Amino acid sequence: MNADEMYEKMKAKLNGIVPDVELRYKAEIAVEINELKVQRNAVILGHNYMEPALFNSIPDFTGDSLDLSRKAAQTDKDIIVFCGVRFMAETAKILNPSKTVLLPAARAGCSLAESITAADVRDLKAKFPGVPVVTYVNTYADVKAESDICCTSSNAAAVVDSLHADTVIFLPDEYLAKNVARETGKHIIFPSAGPKAADAAGNDMPGELDYQLIGWRGRCEVHEKFTLKDIETVREQFPDVVILAHPECSPEVTAAADFSGSTNAMIRYVQQSQAPHYLLLTECAMGDNVAAANPQKDMLRLCMVRCPHMNMITMEDTRDALKFNRYVIDVPEEIRVKAFRAVDRMIKIG
Ligand code: 13P
Ligand code: SF4
């Protein structure tokens, strides 16, 4: 496909969403990337939070964390370019270690992954011996290596249920833990000395005493910004709006929404339903991508926060990743083997 054809393809999807001048410029880079991809026998995986021009041009597969982990595990290409954040690229390496995994940005972290260390998990295990540890995939490999099983936002409740345990340590997302506790009928405490607990309005929140889930005070810096007030304000203006919230939002927000699910689950919900208006409480770029895929549907926008980490993945850097073989993601083998057990166990649950 030449640059004109690529431009037409992107314009058909993104007209009115991405400025024309940007489409023309990015169509040329997309052609370059697709040529490099073939030359280097690479596959490009694109998370649902990638910016619309990138999302709609270069990935071989797009999806949520779970979906892309599966694609990374299955690929027979030599190189996996992960257009997502570091923990996702690490998960690809954990699952498919013989491949070269490239992350187009040197850092591209995640506030949840930064919130907990392997030593923190070891301390919790010492405090609660024998209690199984479930770790969200939004963590680094050494934290996964200390865990019994991982989960993503699309299978967290199923993973907790699969353990048939009275008590589970669930790390590190405070809000996902609370949402899972509600879904699985469990109570939750936060025994850590970690950051002081406060709700979205800044009020202190006490821990609860009767516990079956043991949590941690990590939060997604994007999803913690959405509030109940946002929902009330939108519902006043659009009483028939259908609101979808990612489970990294606070439990007050997910309870007030009409649906809560992983990024893929939200995309499916919009595709398969007919509502007068939709509002997605998640990362901004995904709102654009869902609007582009559903031009006949009315997507309201409450685009407050672009994930600064996902935003580090640009088309220019993706091209340079393939050109200069950077940034190579490596996981020390003794950590990888342990982390593999936790991730593979999750993938087998489905
Ligand atoms: P998903 O697994 O739903 O794609 O979520 C990943 C993520 O980082 C959400 O902020
Ligand atoms: Fe991490 Fe939140 Fe960004 Fe997802 S949106 S990568 S959870 S900071």
Side-chain angles (χ1 to χ4, degrees), residues 47 49 64-65 87-88 136 138 153 223 246 248 262-263:
H47 187 262
Y49 290 166
D64 65 8
S65 306
F87 75 78
M88 295 178 177
Y136 195 27
N138 295 38
S153 58
H223 291 95
H246 194 275
E248 289 167 11
S262 75
T263 54

Side-chain angles (χ1 to χ4, degrees), residues 62-343:
T62 56
D64 65 8
S65 306
L66 182 62
D67 209 12
L68 295 180
S69 303
R70 290 210 171 97
K71 295 292 186 297
Q74 289 158 1
T75 189
D76 58 0
K77 300 284 184 192
D78 296 328
I79 296 175
I80 301 169
V81 181
F82 216 117
C83 290
V85 289
R86 176 167 286 265
F87 75 78
M88 295 178 177
E90 273 192 1
T91 306
K93 187 68 184 178
I94 289 165
L95 287 167
N96 208 340
S98 66
K99 309 298 177 191
T100 298
V101 177
L102 301 177
L103 180 68
R107 185 88 202 112
C110 165
S111 65
L112 283 170
E114 315 295 333
S115 74
I116 193 160
T117 65
D120 292 329
V121 185
R122 284 193 290 273
D123 285 351
L124 280 171
K125 289 200 290 190
K127 224 181 247 175
F128 300 96
V131 176
V133 178
V134 177
T135 299
Y136 195 27
V137 283
N138 295 38
T139 47
Y140 294 123
D142 55 346
V143 167
K144 289 184 173 81
E146 295 293 338
S147 314
D148 294 291
I149 185 165
C150 286
C151 73
T152 72
S153 58
S154 65
N155 60 15
V159 166
V160 168
D161 279 339
S162 78
L163 296 170
H164 303 292
D166 291 339
T167 307
V168 171
I169 298 174
F170 188 98
L171 309 169
D173 186 344
E174 172 187 343
Y175 287 162
L176 180 64
K178 287 178 171 173
N179 287 321
V180 168
R182 190 177 53 210
E183 209 178 325
T184 56
K186 292 184 186 284
H187 301 274
I188 183 164
I189 60 152
F190 293 92
S192 76
K196 197 165 112 186
D199 64 17
N203 305 311
D204 286 356
M205 294 194 308
E208 289 151 33
L209 293 178
D210 175 17
Y211 62 84
Q212 290 155 341
L213 275 193
I214 296 161
W216 190 253
R217 297 285 189 190
R219 289 198 194 159
C220 164
E221 66 191 274
V222 174
H223 291 95
E224 72 170 348
K225 300 254 184 341
F226 297 110
T227 64
L228 199 50
K229 182 85 190 120
D230 295 329
I231 294 186
E232 286 164 1
T233 307
V234 172
R235 287 208 197 279
E236 266 166 35
Q237 292 174 56
F238 301 94
D240 48 6
V241 65
V242 167
I243 299 180
L244 295 85
H246 194 275
E248 289 167 11
C249 293
S250 75
E252 295 75 30
V253 166
T254 57
D258 298 289
F259 177 79
S260 177
S262 75
T263 54
N264 266 16
M266 289 192 279
I267 291 169
R268 262 196 312 275
Y269 188 102
V270 174
Q271 272 167 355
Q272 293 169 3
S273 61
Q274 289 298 335
H277 317 278
Y278 296 90
L279 177 71
L280 296 179
L281 298 182
T282 192
E283 210 277 338
C284 292
M286 186 169 126
D288 285 337
N289 293 332
V290 173
N294 298 276
Q296 74 292 2
K297 297 192 177 171
D298 183 29
M299 309 297 303
L300 304 180
R301 304 311 310 277
L302 186 63
C303 180
M304 297 200 298
V305 202
R306 173 87 173 108
C307 170
H309 313 287
M310 293 282 181
N311 198 34
M312 285 178 187
I313 308 299
T314 64
M315 290 186 69
E316 290 87 341
D317 287 341
T318 305
R319 175 196 58 205
D320 291 350
L322 281 164
K323 251 188 189 170
F324 305 119
N325 207 49
R326 72 186 191 199
Y327 295 89
V328 176
I329 298 295
D330 274 322
V331 177
E333 187 59 12
E334 71 278 10
I335 290 178
R336 191 199 68 77
V337 169
K338 286 196 202 161
F340 176 84
R341 268 186 235 131
V343 179

